[in-house]
Amino acid sequence: MGKVLIIGYGNPLRSDDGFGWHASRLISREVAGHDVEVITCHQLTPELAEPLSQCSRAVFIDADAEGEPGEIHLREVLPQALSSSALTHTCSPAGLLASAARLYGRCPKTVLITVSAQSFDFGDCLSPIVSAALPKVVDRVLEIACPDGGRPEF
Amino acid sequence: MRKIMIDAVTRIEGHAKVSIQLDDDGKVADTQLHVTQIRGFEKFTEGRPYYEMPSITARICGICPISHLLASSKACDAIMSVGVPETAALLREVLHCGQVVQSHALSFFHLSAPDLLLGMDSDPAQRNVLGLLEKFPDIARDGIALRKFGQQVIEGLAKERIHPSWVVPGGVNTPLDSAVRDKILSGLPDAKATVRRTLKFFKGILDQFKEEIEHFGNASSMYAGLVDAAGKLQLYDGGIRFKDADGKIVADHIAGRDYRNFIGEAALANSYLKAPYFKPVGFPDGVYRVGPLARLNVAKSCGTSMADAEFTEFHQRLGKIVPGSFHYHYARLIEALYGLERMEALLNDPAVLGQQIRAHAGVNCLEGVGMIEAPRGILIHHYKVNEEGAITWANLIVATGHNNLAINRSIHQVAQHFVDGNHLQEGMLNRVSAVVRAYDPCFSCSTHASGQIAMHIQLFSPQGSLLDELKSA
C-alpha cells in the first residue's frame, strides 16, 4: 500500500461546516509512523491536484448540507470532467482528481466521507449530534489509512 | 439611458460590482466600481488589547493574512517602543517574501492567466483556472508549483499557511530551524526557474495585447511605494516615495508615523471603499497608484541581480515611467523573482538562525503606526491605545484602497473604448473586469469606511424616474 492522503476541509467558524477540519486535526495525531499525509484546509483549491497525484489512496472529509444531521456517508469518488466555473472557490474532489490526472498523469483511488450537518451558523463548535459522529469518522478513516492491525482496506 | 451591471466581478478577492451608464446613443457615459462589503474591523476592535490586533486583523484576509499580521505587529512594536531583534526582522521579511511569491502566483496564474492565455473573448465557461489547466497544463503546473512554494515557506516558518500566530509584537515566537532553512533554500532554484520561464513566455505574448495595453488604465497618475535609504525597492521596511506622472519625486522617505501629512482619505458614494489621495494635491486630482507597477516606477532598482536585469529591460521596453495598468502583470512577475532572490539572501545571512527573536515590553507609547508593502501595495495599520493598552481608535489603509481612484478611472477608460451598448458582447464586459483584475484588488481587505461612509439613497418610481434622494455630508 502506498502513501495515503487525507484532506479534511471546511470552515471551523461556521459550526458543522468545520467537521472535516476537526476530523483531520484529530486524525493527524494518530498517524505518526504511517505513510500518511493529512491536509487541513478551509476549502479545496487547484493546488491540491499535485499532492493527490503523489499518493495511491485519498480520503476527503467534508460536511454535507443534505441528509439527517449526524448521518455518515462514504462513497467512492471518480475523476470527473472539469467543471465550468468562473470562480476559484468551487473545486470538487472529483474535479481535483481529474486535474491530477490531467496535469500529472496520476490520480489515486479515493473516497469521500461526509457527515450531514445540523447547523452552518456562526460558531466554532460542532452541534452535539454531529460531534457524536466525529469518533466514528476518525476510526473509519484510520481503518483506511492505517490498515495494519486487521483493519479493512477500501 | 441604460445601465449595465457587472455583478459580481469574478476572479478577484472579495466582492465588487461595476455599473456602466450608457447614454441614449448606447455610448458609455459614466462608470463606477462599487465595493459592496463592510467589515468594520476599526470599530469592533476598540477595547481589545493591542497585542491581540495582529491575530484579529490577520482575519481580514485569507490571501494576504501575513501582510496584516506584519503591519499590525509593526504598529504594536511602535506602541511598545521597541526595536525587534535582528533575527526577528530577518525572519519576518523571509515570511513576507513567501507571502508575496504565493500571492503574485495566485494573481498571475489563477486569476489573470485565463484572460491572457485563453483570450479576453473566449468562452466564459472555460475562461477560468480549470480551462487553463485543460489547455495549458505546463503553465498551470508552474502556477501550482510556485504558489505551493510560497505557501511552504509560510508554513515552514510560521507552522500554518493561513492565519499563523508566529509573528508577535516585538518579533516572532520561535527561532528558525536550520533544517527548515535548508529545505527552503533547496527549493529556490526551481522556483526562480519557474518565474524566469513565465517572464520569458509573458514577454513573448505582450504584442498580442496592444489594444489592451493602450487602453487598460493607460493614463497619468502619481505612484507610491516603499524604498530604502538608497531608493531601492523595499517590501518589509522603508519609507514612502511619491513620484508624479513624469517621474519626478514629489515626496520621499515618508515614515509610517507621518502618513497623514501626505495621504488624505475621501469617501465615495455607492461604495464602502475609501478613496485615499495625495494630500498636497488634494481630492480627487491627487490620484496615485500602488502595487507592483507603482513600486517599479518609484524605485531606482530592485537590489537583486536577476530582478534588476528584468527591471532594466522593463523600463527599456516601456519607458522610465510605465503608465499602463496592463503592465501590473509584468511588474508582478518581476517582483516574484525579487521575492525569491531576496529570500535567498536573507536565509543565507547567519543571523537568521539566531535565538534572540523577541523584545518584551508593555505600553510605552499611546499611538503606533505599522507600514509594509503588501503584495498589492502599501498597507498601513494605525492604532491608538489607552494606558492599559486597550485600543481606543484604529485606522487601516489597505492597498486596494490606495488604488480605488485609479481603478475607477481605468474602468471608465476601458469601458469607453471597448463597450458598445448597441452591440454588446461578453468580451467587452470581460475587459472591464480584466482591468480590475490587473490591479489584483482585494476587496475583502479594502473595505474600511466605517464612520465615514458617503451615503447616497435614491428613490425611484416603477418607471425609473428619480422621486427623491438623500445624501450625507
Side-chain angles (χ1 to χ4, degrees), chain A residues 26-84:
Chain A
L26 290 173
I27 291 163
S28 65
R29 298 175 195 161
E30 306 290 333
V31 294
H34 294 270
D35 193 9
V36 176
E37 180 181 359
V38 182
I39 294 176
T40 305
C41 51
H42 287 83
Q43 61 197 28
L44 301 180
T45 54
E47 291 89 354
L48 291 169
E50 194 259 353
L52 276 168
S53 73
Q54 294 178 359
C55 65
S56 61
R57 292 160 192 247
V59 182
F60 288 88
I61 312 170
D62 191 13
D64 195 339
E66 305 293 328
E68 287 296 312
E71 270 184 3
I72 300 170
H73 294 275
L74 184 151
R75 67 179 176 85
E76 187 177 3
V77 183
L78 299 172
Q80 197 172 52
L82 304 176
S83 61
S84 299

Tab-separated table of all heavy atoms in Angstrom, chain A residues 26-84:
chain	number	residue	atom	x	y	z
A	26	LEU	N	-7.802	15.706	14.372
A	26	LEU	CA	-7.729	14.543	15.263
A	26	LEU	C	-6.936	13.412	14.607
A	26	LEU	O	-6.101	12.759	15.250
A	26	LEU	CB	-9.143	14.062	15.620
A	26	LEU	CG	-9.957	14.965	16.543
A	26	LEU	CD1	-11.387	14.439	16.672
A	26	LEU	CD2	-9.306	15.021	17.934
A	27	ILE	N	-7.196	13.201	13.338
A	27	ILE	CA	-6.530	12.104	12.627
A	27	ILE	C	-5.023	12.324	12.561
A	27	ILE	O	-4.231	11.375	12.692
A	27	ILE	CB	-7.137	11.967	11.206
A	27	ILE	CG1	-8.582	11.451	11.316
A	27	ILE	CG2	-6.297	11.049	10.328
A	27	ILE	CD1	-9.406	11.659	10.079
A	28	SER	N	-4.625	13.594	12.379
A	28	SER	CA	-3.192	13.870	12.223
A	28	SER	C	-2.397	13.454	13.460
A	28	SER	O	-1.203	13.164	13.380
A	28	SER	CB	-2.962	15.347	11.913
A	28	SER	OG	-3.362	16.146	13.011
A	29	ARG	N	-3.068	13.385	14.612
A	29	ARG	CA	-2.370	12.975	15.840
A	29	ARG	C	-2.184	11.460	15.920
A	29	ARG	O	-1.464	10.953	16.771
A	29	ARG	CB	-3.176	13.409	17.069
A	29	ARG	CG	-3.346	14.912	17.184
A	29	ARG	CD	-4.260	15.217	18.361
A	29	ARG	NE	-4.741	16.588	18.316
A	29	ARG	CZ	-5.809	17.030	18.978
A	29	ARG	NH1	-6.504	16.205	19.744
A	29	ARG	NH2	-6.174	18.279	18.885
A	30	GLU	N	-2.889	10.735	15.061
A	30	GLU	CA	-2.925	9.270	15.176
A	30	GLU	C	-2.111	8.554	14.110
A	30	GLU	O	-2.046	7.336	14.133
A	30	GLU	CB	-4.387	8.792	15.067
A	30	GLU	CG	-5.353	9.456	16.036
A	30	GLU	CD	-5.117	9.023	17.484
A	30	GLU	OE1	-4.605	7.903	17.679
A	30	GLU	OE2	-5.409	9.822	18.390
A	31	VAL	N	-1.529	9.287	13.189
A	31	VAL	CA	-0.949	8.594	12.039
A	31	VAL	C	0.576	8.616	12.022
A	31	VAL	O	1.183	8.270	11.008
A	31	VAL	CB	-1.496	9.185	10.712
A	31	VAL	CG1	-2.981	8.902	10.585
A	31	VAL	CG2	-1.208	10.680	10.622
A	32	ALA	N	1.172	9.007	13.128
A	32	ALA	CA	2.640	9.028	13.177
A	32	ALA	C	3.183	7.637	12.866
A	32	ALA	O	2.653	6.626	13.333
A	32	ALA	CB	3.099	9.479	14.559
A	33	GLY	N	4.225	7.587	12.062
A	33	GLY	CA	4.827	6.300	11.721
A	33	GLY	C	4.209	5.627	10.515
A	33	GLY	O	4.701	4.609	10.040
A	34	HIS	N	3.129	6.188	10.020
A	34	HIS	CA	2.493	5.637	8.815
A	34	HIS	C	2.760	6.558	7.637
A	34	HIS	O	3.037	7.753	7.811
A	34	HIS	CB	0.981	5.491	9.016
A	34	HIS	CG	0.615	4.478	10.060
A	34	HIS	ND1	0.405	3.152	9.767
A	34	HIS	CD2	0.444	4.616	11.396
A	34	HIS	CE1	0.112	2.499	10.884
A	34	HIS	NE2	0.132	3.373	11.902
A	35	ASP	N	2.674	6.000	6.447
A	35	ASP	CA	2.907	6.797	5.244
A	35	ASP	C	1.609	7.543	4.898
A	35	ASP	O	0.923	7.224	3.919
A	35	ASP	CB	3.341	5.875	4.096
A	35	ASP	CG	3.895	6.668	2.921
A	35	ASP	OD1	4.087	7.898	3.074
A	35	ASP	OD2	4.124	6.064	1.860
A	36	VAL	N	1.314	8.501	5.749
A	36	VAL	CA	0.047	9.231	5.633
A	36	VAL	C	0.319	10.733	5.724
A	36	VAL	O	1.069	11.177	6.599
A	36	VAL	CB	-0.934	8.838	6.775
A	36	VAL	CG1	-2.215	9.673	6.700
A	36	VAL	CG2	-1.262	7.355	6.704
A	37	GLU	N	-0.262	11.498	4.811
A	37	GLU	CA	-0.189	12.962	4.889
A	37	GLU	C	-1.599	13.498	5.144
A	37	GLU	O	-2.565	13.055	4.515
A	37	GLU	CB	0.352	13.561	3.584
A	37	GLU	CG	0.454	15.088	3.628
A	37	GLU	CD	0.961	15.689	2.321
A	37	GLU	OE1	1.245	14.913	1.378
A	37	GLU	OE2	1.041	16.928	2.242
A	38	VAL	N	-1.695	14.411	6.087
A	38	VAL	CA	-3.004	15.000	6.410
A	38	VAL	C	-2.975	16.486	6.060
A	38	VAL	O	-2.072	17.214	6.495
A	38	VAL	CB	-3.336	14.831	7.909
A	38	VAL	CG1	-4.724	15.420	8.208
A	38	VAL	CG2	-3.291	13.362	8.303
A	39	ILE	N	-3.924	16.905	5.272
A	39	ILE	CA	-4.046	18.330	4.923
A	39	ILE	C	-5.369	18.842	5.482
A	39	ILE	O	-6.428	18.258	5.229
A	39	ILE	CB	-4.000	18.543	3.393
A	39	ILE	CG1	-2.617	18.159	2.848
A	39	ILE	CG2	-4.330	19.995	3.036
A	39	ILE	CD1	-2.485	18.247	1.345
A	40	THR	N	-5.275	19.909	6.254
A	40	THR	CA	-6.470	20.540	6.812
A	40	THR	C	-6.622	21.902	6.150
A	40	THR	O	-5.685	22.701	6.170
A	40	THR	CB	-6.318	20.725	8.336
A	40	THR	OG1	-6.007	19.448	8.916
A	40	THR	CG2	-7.598	21.269	8.958
A	41	CYS	N	-7.763	22.164	5.554
A	41	CYS	CA	-7.897	23.434	4.832
A	41	CYS	C	-9.348	23.924	4.867
A	41	CYS	O	-10.266	23.172	5.173
A	41	CYS	CB	-7.409	23.292	3.395
A	41	CYS	SG	-8.107	21.928	2.485
A	42	HIS	N	-9.494	25.210	4.568
A	42	HIS	CA	-10.826	25.802	4.563
A	42	HIS	C	-11.647	25.349	3.357
A	42	HIS	O	-12.853	25.208	3.426
A	42	HIS	CB	-10.735	27.325	4.545
A	42	HIS	CG	-10.296	27.924	5.841
A	42	HIS	ND1	-8.978	28.030	6.197
A	42	HIS	CD2	-11.012	28.442	6.873
A	42	HIS	CE1	-8.895	28.591	7.395
A	42	HIS	NE2	-10.111	28.846	7.826
A	43	GLN	N	-10.950	25.210	2.241
A	43	GLN	CA	-11.670	24.863	1.015
A	43	GLN	C	-10.726	24.154	0.073
A	43	GLN	O	-9.505	24.208	0.239
A	43	GLN	CB	-12.224	26.122	0.353
A	43	GLN	CG	-11.135	27.098	-0.046
A	43	GLN	CD	-11.670	28.498	-0.306
A	43	GLN	OE1	-12.673	28.910	0.256
A	43	GLN	NE2	-10.990	29.217	-1.163
A	44	LEU	N	-11.293	23.495	-0.917
A	44	LEU	CA	-10.468	22.799	-1.895
A	44	LEU	C	-9.949	23.801	-2.921
A	44	LEU	O	-10.717	24.639	-3.399
A	44	LEU	CB	-11.288	21.707	-2.584
A	44	LEU	CG	-11.867	20.641	-1.656
A	44	LEU	CD1	-12.659	19.607	-2.463
A	44	LEU	CD2	-10.761	19.939	-0.859
A	45	THR	N	-8.674	23.716	-3.226
A	45	THR	CA	-8.064	24.628	-4.191
A	45	THR	C	-7.310	23.820	-5.244
A	45	THR	O	-6.945	22.662	-5.000
A	45	THR	CB	-7.083	25.587	-3.490
A	45	THR	OG1	-6.135	24.806	-2.747
A	45	THR	CG2	-7.802	26.526	-2.540
A	46	PRO	N	-7.071	24.417	-6.409
A	46	PRO	CA	-6.437	23.656	-7.501
A	46	PRO	C	-5.080	23.071	-7.130
A	46	PRO	O	-4.682	22.044	-7.678
A	46	PRO	CB	-6.302	24.698	-8.612
A	46	PRO	CG	-7.362	25.714	-8.335
A	46	PRO	CD	-7.486	25.768	-6.840
A	47	GLU	N	-4.374	23.701	-6.183
A	47	GLU	CA	-3.042	23.196	-5.817
A	47	GLU	C	-3.079	21.784	-5.272
A	47	GLU	O	-2.068	21.077	-5.286
A	47	GLU	CB	-2.390	24.098	-4.757
A	47	GLU	CG	-2.001	25.453	-5.256
A	47	GLU	CD	-3.123	26.463	-5.116
A	47	GLU	OE1	-4.231	26.069	-4.745
A	47	GLU	OE2	-2.872	27.616	-5.400
A	48	LEU	N	-4.230	21.369	-4.760
A	48	LEU	CA	-4.299	20.034	-4.154
A	48	LEU	C	-4.155	18.932	-5.199
A	48	LEU	O	-3.925	17.767	-4.849
A	48	LEU	CB	-5.631	19.885	-3.396
A	48	LEU	CG	-5.743	20.757	-2.140
A	48	LEU	CD1	-7.167	20.752	-1.600
A	48	LEU	CD2	-4.779	20.270	-1.064
A	49	ALA	N	-4.264	19.300	-6.464
A	49	ALA	CA	-4.076	18.287	-7.515
A	49	ALA	C	-2.682	17.663	-7.427
A	49	ALA	O	-2.511	16.472	-7.697
A	49	ALA	CB	-4.283	18.917	-8.893
A	50	GLU	N	-1.711	18.465	-7.052
A	50	GLU	CA	-0.329	17.960	-7.030
A	50	GLU	C	-0.115	16.908	-5.944
A	50	GLU	O	0.329	15.785	-6.245
A	50	GLU	CB	0.634	19.149	-6.881
A	50	GLU	CG	2.060	18.809	-7.170
A	50	GLU	CD	2.882	18.616	-5.914
A	50	GLU	OE1	2.376	18.878	-4.813
A	50	GLU	OE2	4.016	18.166	-6.030
A	51	PRO	N	-0.442	17.178	-4.669
A	51	PRO	CA	-0.274	16.095	-3.680
A	51	PRO	C	-1.181	14.898	-3.962
A	51	PRO	O	-0.811	13.753	-3.641
A	51	PRO	CB	-0.614	16.772	-2.339
A	51	PRO	CG	-1.323	18.030	-2.669
A	51	PRO	CD	-0.818	18.446	-4.016
A	52	LEU	N	-2.346	15.138	-4.557
A	52	LEU	CA	-3.205	13.996	-4.890
A	52	LEU	C	-2.516	13.063	-5.887
A	52	LEU	O	-2.663	11.838	-5.810
A	52	LEU	CB	-4.529	14.493	-5.494
A	52	LEU	CG	-5.614	14.906	-4.490
A	52	LEU	CD1	-6.737	15.657	-5.205
A	52	LEU	CD2	-6.174	13.698	-3.758
A	53	SER	N	-1.761	13.665	-6.794
A	53	SER	CA	-1.106	12.837	-7.817
A	53	SER	C	0.025	12.000	-7.227
A	53	SER	O	0.506	11.074	-7.875
A	53	SER	CB	-0.558	13.735	-8.931
A	53	SER	OG	0.598	14.433	-8.478
A	54	GLN	N	0.444	12.327	-6.020
A	54	GLN	CA	1.593	11.641	-5.432
A	54	GLN	C	1.202	10.583	-4.399
A	54	GLN	O	2.055	10.092	-3.674
A	54	GLN	CB	2.518	12.672	-4.787
A	54	GLN	CG	3.134	13.595	-5.831
A	54	GLN	CD	4.020	14.655	-5.217
A	54	GLN	OE1	4.165	14.727	-4.003
A	54	GLN	NE2	4.609	15.488	-6.050
A	55	CYS	N	-0.089	10.301	-4.287
A	55	CYS	CA	-0.497	9.262	-3.330
A	55	CYS	C	-1.260	8.165	-4.066
A	55	CYS	O	-1.714	8.348	-5.188
A	55	CYS	CB	-1.339	9.862	-2.214
A	55	CYS	SG	-2.900	10.521	-2.765
A	56	SER	N	-1.373	7.034	-3.410
A	56	SER	CA	-2.092	5.926	-4.044
A	56	SER	C	-3.547	5.874	-3.585
A	56	SER	O	-4.389	5.285	-4.241
A	56	SER	CB	-1.397	4.607	-3.740
A	56	SER	OG	-1.377	4.393	-2.343
A	57	ARG	N	-3.804	6.448	-2.437
A	57	ARG	CA	-5.178	6.498	-1.936
A	57	ARG	C	-5.421	7.859	-1.301
A	57	ARG	O	-4.506	8.451	-0.724
A	57	ARG	CB	-5.425	5.420	-0.875
A	57	ARG	CG	-5.391	4.033	-1.445
A	57	ARG	CD	-5.149	3.011	-0.363
A	57	ARG	NE	-4.852	1.738	-0.984
A	57	ARG	CZ	-5.639	0.671	-0.911
A	57	ARG	NH1	-6.726	0.714	-0.193
A	57	ARG	NH2	-5.316	-0.439	-1.534
A	58	ALA	N	-6.673	8.306	-1.365
A	58	ALA	CA	-7.009	9.597	-0.774
A	58	ALA	C	-8.371	9.526	-0.106
A	58	ALA	O	-9.251	8.768	-0.535
A	58	ALA	CB	-7.018	10.685	-1.841
A	59	VAL	N	-8.493	10.290	0.950
A	59	VAL	CA	-9.772	10.390	1.661
A	59	VAL	C	-10.109	11.872	1.828
A	59	VAL	O	-9.295	12.630	2.373
A	59	VAL	CB	-9.712	9.747	3.064
A	59	VAL	CG1	-11.088	9.833	3.743
A	59	VAL	CG2	-9.239	8.312	2.986
A	60	PHE	N	-11.256	12.278	1.336
A	60	PHE	CA	-11.765	13.626	1.597
A	60	PHE	C	-12.783	13.547	2.732
A	60	PHE	O	-13.596	12.610	2.772
A	60	PHE	CB	-12.464	14.196	0.357
A	60	PHE	CG	-11.532	14.578	-0.763
A	60	PHE	CD1	-11.148	13.638	-1.718
A	60	PHE	CD2	-11.057	15.875	-0.871
A	60	PHE	CE1	-10.303	13.988	-2.758
A	60	PHE	CE2	-10.204	16.235	-1.913
A	60	PHE	CZ	-9.827	15.287	-2.862
A	61	ILE	N	-12.756	14.521	3.614
A	61	ILE	CA	-13.732	14.570	4.714
A	61	ILE	C	-14.408	15.928	4.687
A	61	ILE	O	-13.747	16.973	4.709
A	61	ILE	CB	-13.062	14.375	6.090
A	61	ILE	CG1	-12.127	13.170	6.078
A	61	ILE	CG2	-14.121	14.210	7.184
A	61	ILE	CD1	-11.244	13.067	7.321
A	62	ASP	N	-15.736	15.914	4.654
A	62	ASP	CA	-16.477	17.165	4.498
A	62	ASP	C	-17.804	17.073	5.256
A	62	ASP	O	-18.250	15.991	5.637
A	62	ASP	CB	-16.744	17.405	3.001
A	62	ASP	CG	-17.262	18.809	2.703
A	62	ASP	OD1	-17.191	19.682	3.589
A	62	ASP	OD2	-17.723	19.023	1.573
A	63	ALA	N	-18.427	18.219	5.440
A	63	ALA	CA	-19.799	18.263	5.956
A	63	ALA	C	-20.743	18.286	4.763
A	63	ALA	O	-20.384	18.734	3.682
A	63	ALA	CB	-20.006	19.509	6.807
A	64	ASP	N	-21.961	17.809	4.983
A	64	ASP	CA	-22.944	17.735	3.898
A	64	ASP	C	-24.194	18.504	4.311
A	64	ASP	O	-24.663	18.371	5.451
A	64	ASP	CB	-23.287	16.256	3.648
A	64	ASP	CG	-24.011	16.049	2.324
A	64	ASP	OD1	-24.585	17.033	1.817
A	64	ASP	OD2	-24.000	14.915	1.824
A	65	ALA	N	-24.712	19.298	3.404
A	65	ALA	CA	-25.923	20.059	3.710
A	65	ALA	C	-27.177	19.192	3.592
A	65	ALA	O	-28.246	19.582	4.059
A	65	ALA	CB	-26.028	21.262	2.774
A	66	GLU	N	-27.059	18.029	2.964
A	66	GLU	CA	-28.211	17.147	2.761
A	66	GLU	C	-28.230	16.041	3.820
A	66	GLU	O	-27.209	15.741	4.425
A	66	GLU	CB	-28.143	16.501	1.369
A	66	GLU	CG	-28.019	17.495	0.226
A	66	GLU	CD	-29.256	18.351	0.062
A	66	GLU	OE1	-30.354	17.855	0.340
A	66	GLU	OE2	-29.097	19.544	-0.307
A	67	GLY	N	-29.395	15.414	4.015
A	67	GLY	CA	-29.495	14.245	4.887
A	67	GLY	C	-29.841	14.588	6.328
A	67	GLY	O	-29.921	15.753	6.719
A	68	GLU	N	-30.044	13.540	7.105
A	68	GLU	CA	-30.356	13.705	8.526
A	68	GLU	C	-29.099	14.091	9.281
A	68	GLU	O	-28.047	13.464	9.095
A	68	GLU	CB	-30.911	12.391	9.092
A	68	GLU	CG	-32.320	12.066	8.644
A	68	GLU	CD	-33.316	13.101	9.147
A	68	GLU	OE1	-33.288	13.432	10.354
A	68	GLU	OE2	-34.109	13.598	8.321
A	69	PRO	N	-29.159	15.089	10.148
A	69	PRO	CA	-27.955	15.503	10.874
A	69	PRO	C	-27.274	14.322	11.572
A	69	PRO	O	-27.935	13.496	12.215
A	69	PRO	CB	-28.500	16.507	11.894
A	69	PRO	CG	-29.707	17.074	11.239
A	69	PRO	CD	-30.316	15.942	10.456
A	70	GLY	N	-25.955	14.244	11.401
A	70	GLY	CA	-25.182	13.178	12.027
A	70	GLY	C	-25.000	11.952	11.161
A	70	GLY	O	-24.178	11.087	11.467
A	71	GLU	N	-25.749	11.852	10.071
A	71	GLU	CA	-25.608	10.697	9.174
A	71	GLU	C	-24.227	10.695	8.526
A	71	GLU	O	-23.746	11.722	8.067
A	71	GLU	CB	-26.637	10.772	8.043
A	71	GLU	CG	-27.942	10.101	8.330
A	71	GLU	CD	-28.868	10.156	7.109
A	71	GLU	OE1	-28.468	10.667	6.047
A	71	GLU	OE2	-30.004	9.712	7.265
A	72	ILE	N	-23.621	9.520	8.482
A	72	ILE	CA	-22.304	9.386	7.857
A	72	ILE	C	-22.472	8.678	6.519
A	72	ILE	O	-23.153	7.654	6.437
A	72	ILE	CB	-21.354	8.576	8.756
A	72	ILE	CG1	-21.177	9.284	10.104
A	72	ILE	CG2	-19.997	8.382	8.078
A	72	ILE	CD1	-20.455	8.436	11.150
A	73	HIS	N	-21.859	9.249	5.507
A	73	HIS	CA	-21.900	8.627	4.182
A	73	HIS	C	-20.486	8.453	3.666
A	73	HIS	O	-19.645	9.344	3.838
A	73	HIS	CB	-22.699	9.485	3.195
A	73	HIS	CG	-24.145	9.574	3.545
A	73	HIS	ND1	-25.066	8.625	3.168
A	73	HIS	CD2	-24.823	10.501	4.258
A	73	HIS	CE1	-26.259	8.960	3.636
A	73	HIS	NE2	-26.145	10.094	4.303
A	74	LEU	N	-20.246	7.329	3.049
A	74	LEU	CA	-18.948	7.085	2.426
A	74	LEU	C	-19.200	6.654	0.993
A	74	LEU	O	-20.006	5.761	0.735
A	74	LEU	CB	-18.195	5.989	3.190
A	74	LEU	CG	-16.764	5.671	2.735
A	74	LEU	CD1	-15.933	5.166	3.907
A	74	LEU	CD2	-16.749	4.631	1.613
A	75	ARG	N	-18.550	7.321	0.067
A	75	ARG	CA	-18.717	6.906	-1.322
A	75	ARG	C	-17.402	7.070	-2.072
A	75	ARG	O	-16.570	7.918	-1.730
A	75	ARG	CB	-19.829	7.687	-2.007
A	75	ARG	CG	-19.553	9.160	-2.196
A	75	ARG	CD	-20.717	9.832	-2.921
A	75	ARG	NE	-20.520	11.261	-3.041
A	75	ARG	CZ	-19.824	11.838	-4.013
A	75	ARG	NH1	-19.256	11.097	-4.942
A	75	ARG	NH2	-19.693	13.152	-4.061
A	76	GLU	N	-17.257	6.241	-3.084
A	76	GLU	CA	-16.062	6.335	-3.919
A	76	GLU	C	-16.181	7.556	-4.819
A	76	GLU	O	-17.274	7.917	-5.265
A	76	GLU	CB	-15.926	5.065	-4.755
A	76	GLU	CG	-14.625	4.999	-5.524
A	76	GLU	CD	-14.473	3.686	-6.290
A	76	GLU	OE1	-15.401	2.854	-6.263
A	76	GLU	OE2	-13.417	3.515	-6.909
A	77	VAL	N	-15.065	8.206	-5.077
A	77	VAL	CA	-15.042	9.367	-5.973
A	77	VAL	C	-14.207	9.017	-7.195
A	77	VAL	O	-13.098	8.491	-7.053
A	77	VAL	CB	-14.428	10.603	-5.286
A	77	VAL	CG1	-14.482	11.814	-6.215
A	77	VAL	CG2	-15.143	10.903	-3.974
A	78	LEU	N	-14.753	9.298	-8.355
A	78	LEU	CA	-14.033	9.070	-9.601
A	78	LEU	C	-13.707	10.396	-10.257
A	78	LEU	O	-14.432	11.383	-10.062
A	78	LEU	CB	-14.891	8.216	-10.553
A	78	LEU	CG	-15.262	6.829	-10.032
A	78	LEU	CD1	-16.260	6.152	-10.964
A	78	LEU	CD2	-14.011	5.972	-9.863
A	79	PRO	N	-12.649	10.446	-11.026
A	79	PRO	CA	-12.335	11.706	-11.721
A	79	PRO	C	-13.508	12.105	-12.606
A	79	PRO	O	-14.125	11.259	-13.255
A	79	PRO	CB	-11.105	11.357	-12.569
A	79	PRO	CG	-10.577	10.096	-12.024
A	79	PRO	CD	-11.706	9.377	-11.371
A	80	GLN	N	-13.801	13.372	-12.585
A	80	GLN	CA	-14.932	13.851	-13.375
A	80	GLN	C	-14.457	15.000	-14.246
A	80	GLN	O	-13.646	15.824	-13.777
A	80	GLN	CB	-16.037	14.339	-12.445
A	80	GLN	CG	-17.377	14.471	-13.111
A	80	GLN	CD	-18.458	14.779	-12.071
A	80	GLN	OE1	-18.299	15.709	-11.290
A	80	GLN	NE2	-19.516	14.002	-12.057
A	81	ALA	N	-14.980	15.075	-15.456
A	81	ALA	CA	-14.587	16.153	-16.373
A	81	ALA	C	-14.633	17.483	-15.642
A	81	ALA	O	-15.525	17.735	-14.835
A	81	ALA	CB	-15.529	16.172	-17.560
A	82	LEU	N	-13.675	18.330	-15.954
A	82	LEU	CA	-13.542	19.587	-15.243
A	82	LEU	C	-14.816	20.401	-15.336
A	82	LEU	O	-15.372	20.581	-16.408
A	82	LEU	CB	-12.378	20.382	-15.833
A	82	LEU	CG	-11.049	19.633	-15.823
A	82	LEU	CD1	-9.987	20.445	-16.514
A	82	LEU	CD2	-10.641	19.315	-14.419
A	83	SER	N	-15.274	20.889	-14.197
A	83	SER	CA	-16.497	21.678	-14.192
A	83	SER	C	-16.197	23.098	-14.649
A	83	SER	O	-15.079	23.568	-14.571
A	83	SER	CB	-17.099	21.699	-12.783
A	83	SER	OG	-16.186	22.280	-11.895
A	84	SER	N	-17.219	23.769	-15.119
A	84	SER	CA	-17.066	25.139	-15.589
A	84	SER	C	-17.465	26.105	-14.498
A	84	SER	O	-18.564	26.051	-13.996
A	84	SER	CB	-17.950	25.379	-16.807
A	84	SER	OG	-17.569	24.519	-17.832
